[in-house]
């Protein structure tokens, strides 16, 4: 997808990876905001985050301090020199944030899932030049995410970035929001020049996961990180378990290994050539398999047999995944591939049946 994007980097923010945005989940009090901001600025953080309006899953939680907190962000700009960012979910939020001179806006995950809300924000941003970061929608729907990006782009905003914050699921195990890395990776393929930030705090939901998630994001060539950091995390009014102190954040960032993505050695090129060959062979084999499938389809049609013979399918799944296991292939992976191949075979045979 062609998008004429401009750099989201603000004067004084280095173009090096990762660009870091940090600050508390919510602005709670002027003291908490100032203390956290000063500690972060001392660690070299250039962009501050704080939620002023908080979308809560259930009523009764802390819903943010509202407009009052914008004055604290102004103080942060003035006293620390940091840029400030906050979440907007309605046109009123946009007007208030712009009036207060907020430097970067972000659209939260619940909002990007709602095209009406995103359009309202986009309309409020017409004619404004400000960087806007768009979080992935709560549900794993890449098209919805891209749709939100397009709405903001169509409003004339050119400094756009996205934030990968994971996807909610009924069954929560290790993560608060499953990372489903293939979704931001596919977004990168579709819009190659779009800067991608990772939000390890909302993916992980717990402090211990912040460091490994930051590293994974860097290994996947993400451009930036947005991390929740609070001067006293245990006492935070929202998302306490996932926030880290500015000290811990600094420690985590210093330990990150940033691998240079443009450098490819001769060895790597050779290995990639082998992969290219194997992919070609895989495709040829798949094409051959489909041709045979179609012949089977013709046979079934001539002999009035149904397409689906589930004992045969179960037998294939069983046999092949055992075979795969002996070759050190993950059973789930093998089953998933076979399922997809089988679905395509059935689809091809249906075409023959209906001819
Ligand atoms: C947040 O950044 O504090 C927040 C509410 O995040 P999300 O929209 O990703 O849930
Ligand atoms: Mn939060």
């Amino acid at each position: 997808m062609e998008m004429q994007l401009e750099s989201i980097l603000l004067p004084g923010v280095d173009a090096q990876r990762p660009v870091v945005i940090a600050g508390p989940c919510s602005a709670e009090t002027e003291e908490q905001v100032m203390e956290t901001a000063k500690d972060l600025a001392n660690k070299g953080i250039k962009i501050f985050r704080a939620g002023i309006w908080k979308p809560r899953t259930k009523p009764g939680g802390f819903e943010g301090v509202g407009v009052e907190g914008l004055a604290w962000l102004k103080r942060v700009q003035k006293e620390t020199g940091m840029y400030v960012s906050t979440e907007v979910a309605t046109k009123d939020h946009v007007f208030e944030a712009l009036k207060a001179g907020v430097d970067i806006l972000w659209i939260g995950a619940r909002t990007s899932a709602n095209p009406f809300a995103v359009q309202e924000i986009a309309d409020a941003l017409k004619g404004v030049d400000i960087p806007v970061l768009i979080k992935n929608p709560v549900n794993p729907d890449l098209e919805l995410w891209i749709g939100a990006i397009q709405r903001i782009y169509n409003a004339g905003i050119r400094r756009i970035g996205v934030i990968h914050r994971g996807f909610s699921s009924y069954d929560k195990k290790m993560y608060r929001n499953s990372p489903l890395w293939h979704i931001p990776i596919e977004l990168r393929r579709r819009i190659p020049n779009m800067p991608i930030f990772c939000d390890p705090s909302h993916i992980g939901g717990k402090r211990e996961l912040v460091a490994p998630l930051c590293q994974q994001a860097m290994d996947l060539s993400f451009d930036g990180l947005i991390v929740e950091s609070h001067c006293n995390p245990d006492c935070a009014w929202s998302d306490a378990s996932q926030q880290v102190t500015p000290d811990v954040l600094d420690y985590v960032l210093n330990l990150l290994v940033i691998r240079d993505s443009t450098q490819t050695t001769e060895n790597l090129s050779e290995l990639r050539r082998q992969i290219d060959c194997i992919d070609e062979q895989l495709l040829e084999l798949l094409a051959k398999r489909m041709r045979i499938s179609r012949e089977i389809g013709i046979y079934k049609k001539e002999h009035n047999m149904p397409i689906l013979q589930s004992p045969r399918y179960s037998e294939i799944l069983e046999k092949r995944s055992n075979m795969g296991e002996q070759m050190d292939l993950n059973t789930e992976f093998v089953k998933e591939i076979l399922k997809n191949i089988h679905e395509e075979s059935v689809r091809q045979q249906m075409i023959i049946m209906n001819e």
Side-chain angles (χ1 to χ4, degrees):
M1 192 178 309
E2 259 309 308
M3 279 197 174
Q4 303 303 320
L5 299 173
E6 286 164 23
S7 169
I8 49 165
L9 292 176
L10 299 153
V13 176
D14 304 327
Q16 80 195 36
R17 250 183 0 117
V19 173
V20 180
I21 303 175
C25 178
S26 310
E28 300 162 4
T29 64
E30 187 162 3
E31 294 66 41
Q32 167 253 5
V33 166
M34 292 315 299
E35 187 182 338
T36 309
K38 283 178 182 163
D39 289 351
L40 288 169
N42 284 335
K43 300 291 181 195
I45 302 293
K46 300 270 182 359
I47 310 172
F48 186 72
R49 65 148 282 158
I52 295 288
W53 301 280
K54 298 304 298 177
R56 308 314 299 174
T57 301
K58 291 187 180 136
F62 172 57
E63 302 205 313
V65 290
V67 180
E68 181 192 1
L70 291 169
W72 310 339
L73 295 187
K74 267 199 150 120
R75 243 192 99 188
V76 170
Q77 287 170 320
K78 222 166 85 197
E79 292 179 30
T80 69
M82 276 194 282
Y83 293 104
V84 298
S85 61
T86 201
E87 171 174 347
V88 289
T90 68
K91 61 179 185 315
D92 293 338
H93 295 166
V94 173
F95 293 138
E96 292 295 346
L98 292 176
K99 198 166 79 188
V102 169
D103 302 290
I104 300 176
L105 306 177
W106 85 76
I107 298 177
R110 291 158 194 77
T111 309
S112 26
N114 177 353
F116 288 129
V118 176
Q119 193 55 51
E120 178 183 310
I121 294 169
D123 292 341
L125 283 170
K126 282 209 176 104
V128 180
D129 180 21
I130 189 170
V132 178
L133 304 177
I134 302 160
K135 286 199 170 195
N136 65 258
V138 276
N139 51 326
D141 185 340
L142 177 60
E143 300 311 321
L144 195 56
W145 196 2
I146 291 179
I149 296 166
Q150 285 171 334
R151 286 177 198 278
I152 298 302
Y153 183 81
N154 290 345
I157 299 287
R158 289 296 172 267
R159 292 192 281 162
I160 303 179
V162 296
I163 301 172
H164 167 234
R165 52 76 80 194
F167 302 88
S168 61
S169 62
Y170 179 69
D171 180 27
K172 293 196 173 99
K173 282 190 200 127
M174 167 136 156
Y175 300 105
R176 177 176 175 192
N177 291 292
S178 319
L180 306 180
W181 295 102
H182 58 282
I183 297 181
I185 290 170
E186 175 62 11
L187 180 89
R188 161 122 313 158
R189 199 185 63 77
R190 299 265 294 269
I191 319 176
N193 53 344
M194 176 68 70
I196 306 184
F197 284 73
C198 176
D199 175 344
S201 315
H202 290 92
I203 295 176
K206 29 178 145 19
R207 256 159 242 164
E208 314 82 84
L209 289 177
V210 170
L213 285 165
C214 286
Q215 186 61 56
Q216 269 179 290
M218 288 303 100
D219 292 343
L220 291 170
S221 303
F222 281 29
D223 306 274
L225 300 168
I226 175 166
V227 188
E228 286 190 339
S229 178
H230 190 292
C231 55
N232 188 358
D234 286 329
C235 298
W237 298 1
S238 59
D239 289 352
S241 54
Q242 68 195 33
Q243 304 206 54
V244 295
T245 61
D247 266 333
V248 168
L249 175 65
D250 186 52
Y251 179 77
V252 167
L253 293 176
N254 282 322
L255 282 183
L256 281 182
V257 181
I258 309 296
R259 298 177 171 95
D260 183 355
S261 59
T262 53
Q263 201 179 321
T264 56
T265 62
E266 221 5 75
N267 280 349
L268 184 57
S269 309
E270 173 49 33
L271 291 172
R272 285 191 171 152
R273 272 194 290 279
Q274 290 182 32
I275 290 283
D276 289 346
C277 278
I278 292 174
D279 281 351
E280 200 179 311
Q281 288 170 353
L282 280 174
L283 289 178
E284 279 169 8
L285 279 173
L286 275 176
K288 193 167 166 190
R289 193 187 191 284
M290 286 307 155
R291 277 196 298 276
I292 296 175
S293 257
R294 284 194 293 270
E295 274 180 44
I296 294 180
I298 293 168
Y299 183 92
K300 285 177 182 164
K301 187 177 185 180
E302 284 171 2
H303 294 81
N304 232 359
M305 288 164 73
I307 294 177
L308 261 188
Q309 280 156 14
S310 39
R312 161 81 182 145
Y313 178 46
S314 309
E315 184 195 311
I316 289 189
L317 264 189
E318 193 57 34
K319 266 196 192 153
R320 305 283 196 272
S321 50
N322 287 342
M323 209 189 274
E325 214 175 323
Q326 281 163 31
M327 300 177 192
D328 269 351
L329 286 168
N330 178 294
T331 317
E332 288 313 308
F333 168 69
V334 173
K335 281 198 175 141
E336 198 54 36
I337 288 183
L338 288 171
K339 216 178 84 208
N340 282 316
I341 293 176
H342 184 255
E343 258 169 37
E344 177 60 12
S345 283
V346 170
R347 196 183 68 82
Q348 302 245 358
Q349 293 187 3
M350 297 248 270
I351 295 174
I352 288 167
M353 289 286 178
N354 293 322
E355 258 164 12

